[in-house]
Amino acid sequence: MFEIRVICKPDDADRIGQALATAFDTGPARQYPTRDGKRTRLYITADHRPTTPESE
């Protein structure tokens, strides 16, 4: 498991979160404004997707 941090325009946050969720198993994105208030910081906990289905 690892943490991804992205700094982006507020309008791009949902699109970036969806793209990361497609590539990785992710938790909910935490959003905070940057110090200048013009951009958004996204923090997403992620893990690699398994390459083969797990047997039950």
Side-chain angles (χ1 to χ4, degrees), residues 4-8 16 20 40-44:
I4 300 171
R5 180 180 69 170
V6 177
I7 298 174
C8 61
I16 291 170
L20 290 171
T40 299
R41 290 180 290 145
L42 297 177
Y43 291 91
I44 301 171

Side-chain angles (χ1 to χ4, degrees), residues 25-46:
D25 285 331
T26 62
R30 298 174 315 279
Q31 294 188 27
Y32 304 99
T34 56
R35 291 182 198 171
D36 63 9
K38 296 178 183 177
R39 295 174 293 166
T40 299
R41 290 180 290 145
L42 297 177
Y43 291 91
I44 301 171
T45 302

